Amino acid sequence: MTPSAPHLTRDQRLIRRILRVNHAGEHGAIAIYSAQIAHLGRRAEARDWLIATLAHERRHRGAFREAMPSRNAKPCRALGVWSVGGWVLGCLTALTGTAGVMACTAAVERTVHGHLQEQMAFLERCDPGLAEVVADVRREELEHLAYAEARLPPGSALPRLLEPLIAACTELLIATSTRGDSVRLRQALRAS
């Protein structure tokens, strides 16, 4: 019998939050990359990389979704917010061309990496199977970050302007769509 929410241990509740936030984040990333592909057109030099990266994000979302049932977790109820927010961010950054796309990727992936890094020590202790999933996702997200950073135009003001704004929007979307759950998760992980 699957335990009901009130009977879950603190660690089980944290694992549910991790899955919900990570799944939603991958959902948002899919929207971002889909919008960028749609708006950059066929001529964009980053198109093939964006298509491959979109496939990674779909695989990541699937891995988190697959891990949910056995851990009594459900997807975030605000996936629509992630879809719209990701699509808008993808469209806006695509308007600035490849430099904007790379700045967006760098900002989002840097933010995501921070969240995944915080989760790892806790998961290695409490849920080694999920820790392995997060580690695999984190490896690919770091590859996305390295690719984007290597392609940012040197000396360009655009990335310096976009990155803090995109990182702040990403954090706000995470906190808002999870009704503050991500903030409580971060605090709980630091306390554990």
Side-chain angles (χ1 to χ4, degrees):
M1 184 172 155
T2 305
S4 62
H7 299 97
L8 295 175
T9 67
R10 177 181 175 271
D11 288 351
Q12 289 170 321
R13 285 191 302 274
L14 286 175
I15 290 167
R16 289 174 66 191
R17 288 180 186 151
I18 287 169
L19 281 168
R20 190 170 29 254
V21 167
N22 291 0
H23 177 263
E26 298 299 341
H27 191 78
I30 289 166
I32 291 169
Y33 289 121
S34 296
Q36 289 172 337
I37 291 166
H39 287 84
L40 279 176
R42 297 187 187 280
R43 59 181 168 29
E45 69 242 31
R47 184 175 175 75
D48 290 342
W49 178 78
L50 285 169
I51 290 169
T53 303
L54 176 61
H56 296 166
E57 302 300 350
R58 286 183 173 143
R59 189 173 63 249
H60 300 166
R61 182 181 64 181
F64 289 129
R65 182 66 180 104
E66 188 176 303
M68 287 179 163
S70 64
R71 292 165 177 89
N72 199 32
K74 295 180 182 170
C76 172
R77 286 184 255 174
L79 286 180
V81 173
W82 287 87
S83 294
V84 172
W87 187 263
V88 169
L89 182 57
C91 290
L92 291 175
T93 54
L95 291 174
T96 63
T98 302
V101 167
M102 293 303 148
C104 176
T105 297
V108 170
E109 297 296 7
R110 197 172 294 112
T111 303
V112 167
H113 175 68
H115 284 272
L116 297 178
Q117 190 67 31
E118 288 175 347
Q119 296 168 9
M120 286 304 297
F122 169 76
L123 290 174
E124 286 169 351
R125 179 176 52 83
C126 295
D127 190 334
L130 186 55
E132 191 174 310
V133 171
V134 170
D136 289 343
V137 168
R138 189 178 65 172
R139 265 190 297 281
E140 283 190 334
E141 302 294 11
L142 284 172
E143 290 171 11
H144 302 166
L145 174 59
Y147 182 92
E149 285 179 332
R151 281 151 185 84
L152 289 172
S156 172
L158 182 65
R160 286 192 313 274
L161 294 171
L162 286 179
E163 286 188 48
L165 179 64
I166 292 168
C169 289
T170 302
E171 290 287 359
L172 180 63
L173 181 60
I174 291 169
T176 303
S177 70
T178 61
R179 294 176 297 177
D181 211 20
S182 63
V183 176
R184 287 186 295 278
L185 173 61
R186 179 171 269 169
Q187 291 167 345
L189 289 174
R190 288 180 179 159
S192 58

